[in-house]
Amino acid sequence: MVSRVIPVEPFDLVVFGGTGDLSQRKILPGLYRRFWAGQIPADSMIIGAARSEMDDAGFRDLARAAIMEFVAEDKRDPEMIEAFLARLGYVAIDAKGTGGWAELKKRVRKDVVQAFYFSVAPSLFGDLAQRLHDHKIADANSRIVVEKPFGRDLESAKALNAGLAKHFNEAQIYRIDHYLGKETVQNLMAVRFANILFEPLWKSEYIDHVQITVAETVSVDGRGAYYDKSGAMRDMVQNHMMQLLCLIAMEPPYHFDPDAVRDEKLKVIRALDPVPADDIVRGQYLAGNGQGGYLEHAEDAASKTESYIAMKVHISNWRWKGTPFYLRTGKRLRARASEIAITFREPPHSIFDDAEGWRENVLVIRLQPNEGMNLMVMIKEPGPGGMRLTQVPLDMSFAEALGEDGADIPDAYERLIMDVIRGNQTLFMRGDEVEAAWAWTDPIIQGWEKRGDKPKGYDAGSSGPEDALMLMHRDGRRWREIRE
């Protein structure tokens, strides 16, 4: 299989916050990899913009260091690196003042695609949008990319949307969620809607339950004070996990069109039931293995912010009525793993006597690490001695199944930035989608704040609080093991 690389049109991309961590870890290395792959035309320009006083040469040195650290050695071609760096420039900018804007206006061309990446705190979104408009740098064809967190509640999300809407229409705004750029997440839509095998079974009549797990081994040490203002619900569930749930549960759109896809996702969010307190488990990791606990890292011994959350969610529509979705995410867990597991119901009648050996069919979509899918099916255990059943996986690792193309899957940021240049909003959140997600999330958070609930402690390197196990056990189900 040969992967096709389709070049985009020439563009000018301004990265506000161009000297920041995200720019150095993801944006600049990702743009270089797309340049290396031949997707970025040689006459495109990438302009860093930040408060730091720096010239073009200094920014290129910063980008060179980022490439050397975050790009695989087999792609670090000296000539390609120098050719890429020649397309980079830098402008020192004052987001709240007038400094640098006249210089930026001189740099941004009008005869190519214009994109402005807001890799800055949300509090600066409105200021940047205002100044791009006031200085007549952006026009009706320009595109802006905004990073999460997009608000911390419904009220702030509405305020951010309103601030951007003063100067840009919805078709120009790209709210980025890197989870939607993952190859496996997009393949979820292909598996559902391009194969007759699954779609007839994709409903409560045949699916017992769905598990969505995003487990991390890292702590919040070093950014605990920031994280403590959000917690796992705001940081992961309201955006990343909500998007995964929508892609699993959505109805087939009439066409693979940005608004058609997002219309169906919005219907799912609006069909989510309120979540009762008994269906929520929150936790904080404890000190262990020579590392501090969450309260120490958050620098607040009285913190009630969760580093772990598990919850049972129901969708009130014809397709999913009665099928629970179990969500869990947390820090300092046993392994780094993100997966979606769709567990199908047992056959209505088994003709085999080996009932104890029976296992359900499970479709597992692995998001990280080792992106791929496997389908757990029952077969006869090899050998003589009767009909004994055993469960085996029909496994598809992208790296193995697709050869070199599978092993060289573009990073999510690479794909999403190229979609911005193409003007394709399919994998980006719409304003009403963000607000609907917060409208569902806010009452859940307000509920535990009003009750004064304290998160349960859990051991670092475990699967989370014991209460999370009971959330499944009382339904006669169990969580899948967290493992890489």
Side-chain angles (χ1 to χ4, degrees):
M1 182 180 293
V2 178
S3 178
R4 291 187 299 162
V5 175
I6 303 174
V8 298
E9 297 179 39
F11 63 86
D12 282 356
L13 172 63
V14 179
V15 182
F16 292 104
T19 61
D21 182 64
L22 180 64
S23 177
Q24 294 183 60
R25 284 188 303 107
K26 293 292 185 180
I27 299 174
L28 292 173
L31 287 167
Y32 167 73
R33 283 190 289 264
R34 290 300 88 207
F35 184 81
W36 179 88
Q39 196 163 19
I40 296 179
D43 56 345
S44 297
M45 292 294 298
I46 299 158
I47 304 166
R51 291 177 298 176
S52 305
E53 289 296 332
M54 185 183 296
D55 57 13
D56 290 353
F59 186 59
R60 289 168 184 164
D61 288 341
L62 180 146
R64 182 184 290 105
I67 291 168
M68 297 305 291
E69 182 174 358
F70 296 109
V71 174
E73 186 175 356
D74 63 343
K75 294 182 177 64
R76 299 201 299 253
D77 179 271
E79 290 187 8
M80 292 296 291
I81 291 175
E82 293 309 312
F84 173 74
L85 295 177
R87 312 317 307 159
L88 269 57
Y90 182 84
V91 176
I93 209 87
D94 182 356
K96 292 181 173 291
T98 58
W101 291 98
E103 175 63 22
L104 183 61
K105 183 175 182 179
K106 293 177 185 177
R107 298 246 187 161
V108 178
R109 297 170 292 177
K110 293 294 185 181
D111 56 346
V112 297
V113 174
Q114 291 181 355
F116 302 91
Y117 199 126
F118 292 6
S119 181
V120 296
S123 59
L124 295 176
F125 289 175
D127 294 307
L128 293 177
Q130 177 76 46
R131 280 153 184 77
L132 286 172
H133 175 265
D134 290 349
H135 292 273
K136 296 182 172 55
I137 299 172
D139 58 32
N141 296 315
S142 300
R143 297 148 197 178
I144 62 169
V145 184
V146 293
E147 275 282 348
K148 81 176 190 78
F150 202 81
R152 58 173 282 106
D153 52 26
L154 178 58
E155 182 180 358
S156 58
K158 283 183 173 180
L160 285 172
N161 277 336
L164 295 176
K166 290 180 181 178
H167 309 295
F168 296 93
N169 62 52
E170 186 62 36
Q172 295 178 275
I173 303 171
Y174 292 71
R175 298 172 187 83
I176 194 168
D177 183 338
H178 72 273
Y179 260 63
L180 293 184
K182 291 181 177 293
E183 189 73 25
T184 325
V185 174
Q186 295 174 69
N187 251 313
L188 180 57
M189 285 190 281
V191 167
R192 282 196 59 190
F193 303 130
N195 298 284
I196 194 64
L197 175 66
F198 289 115
E199 186 56 27
L201 306 178
W202 213 264
K203 52 187 175 183
S204 59
E205 182 180 355
Y206 299 105
I207 294 180
D208 179 75
H209 72 279
V210 177
Q211 295 184 31
I212 304 176
T213 297
V214 179
E216 299 178 273
T217 57
V218 297
S219 70
V220 300
D221 191 18
R223 63 186 190 100
Y226 165 79
Y227 184 90
D228 199 53
K229 297 175 183 177
S230 57
M233 186 69 179
R234 288 187 173 99
D235 185 56
M236 290 297 298
V237 176
Q238 185 274 337
N239 41 72
H240 296 330
M241 301 187 79
M242 178 73 73
Q243 292 298 310
L244 298 179
L245 185 151
C246 287
L247 291 177
I248 298 166
M250 64 189 275
E251 294 297 318
Y254 72 86
H255 189 263
F256 191 61
D257 168 85
D259 277 329
V261 170
R262 295 186 293 182
D263 285 345
E264 298 303 334
K265 287 161 59 183
L266 180 61
K267 291 176 185 176
V268 173
I269 299 173
R270 288 177 172 168
L272 290 172
D273 286 345
V275 183
D278 289 345
D279 288 344
I280 302 170
V281 176
R282 299 163 64 236
Q284 292 176 341
Y285 61 84
L286 303 172
N289 300 325
Q291 297 190 35
Y294 179 81
L295 296 178
E296 179 183 342
H297 292 161
E299 302 175 10
D300 181 0
S303 172
K304 295 181 180 179
T305 301
E306 73 285 353
S307 64
Y308 174 100
I309 188 167
M311 57 201 310
K312 180 169 70 171
V313 175
H314 285 279
I315 303 171
S316 286
N317 61 22
W318 279 32
R319 182 181 290 266
W320 296 112
K321 189 67 175 179
T323 293
F325 287 69
Y326 296 94
L327 316 181
R328 62 173 170 171
T329 183
K331 305 287 187 184
R332 292 286 283 133
L333 296 178
R334 177 174 297 157
R336 174 178 174 265
S338 297
E339 69 170 32
I340 302 164
I342 295 96
T343 300
F344 293 88
R345 297 189 186 278
E346 296 182 8
H349 171 70
S350 174
I351 66 172
F352 304 106
D353 295 329
D354 189 12
E356 292 184 4
W358 180 262
R359 297 288 186 275
E360 307 97 334
N361 299 129
V362 184
L363 176 64
V364 181
I365 299 102
R366 296 190 304 272
L367 308 180
Q368 64 184 23
N370 189 24
E371 296 186 48
M373 302 184 187
N374 67 50
L375 177 63
M376 306 300 294
V377 298
M378 297 301 296
I379 67 167
K380 176 188 175 296
E381 186 176 292
M387 181 65 74
R388 296 189 304 274
L389 302 179
T390 187
Q391 190 181 56
V392 297
L394 299 178
D395 196 2
M396 189 199 79
S397 161
F398 287 159
E400 294 176 3
L402 303 180
E404 293 182 3
D405 294 325
D408 193 29
I409 298 171
D411 179 80
Y413 276 94
E414 298 175 44
R415 182 187 314 279
L416 293 172
I417 293 173
M418 292 300 96
D419 278 355
V420 172
I421 304 304
R422 293 190 188 95
N424 185 342
Q425 289 188 310
T426 305
L427 300 176
F428 297 84
M429 292 177 287
R430 205 167 57 191
D432 54 358
E433 192 180 344
V434 172
E435 292 181 12
W438 279 119
W440 176 77
T441 303
D442 278 0
I444 297 172
I445 296 174
Q446 291 164 3
W448 70 55
E449 289 179 344
K450 183 177 180 180
R451 294 188 300 270
D453 294 351
K454 295 184 66 175
K456 308 288 186 181
Y458 63 92
D459 292 333
S462 70
S463 295
E466 290 292 325
D467 287 24
L469 300 179
M470 294 306 302
L471 180 66
M472 293 284 277
H473 286 175
R474 74 188 188 201
D475 294 340
R477 303 181 177 102
R478 62 173 58 187
W479 290 108
R480 286 174 53 80
E481 183 182 352
I482 296 177
R483 60 183 179 183
E484 291 188 359

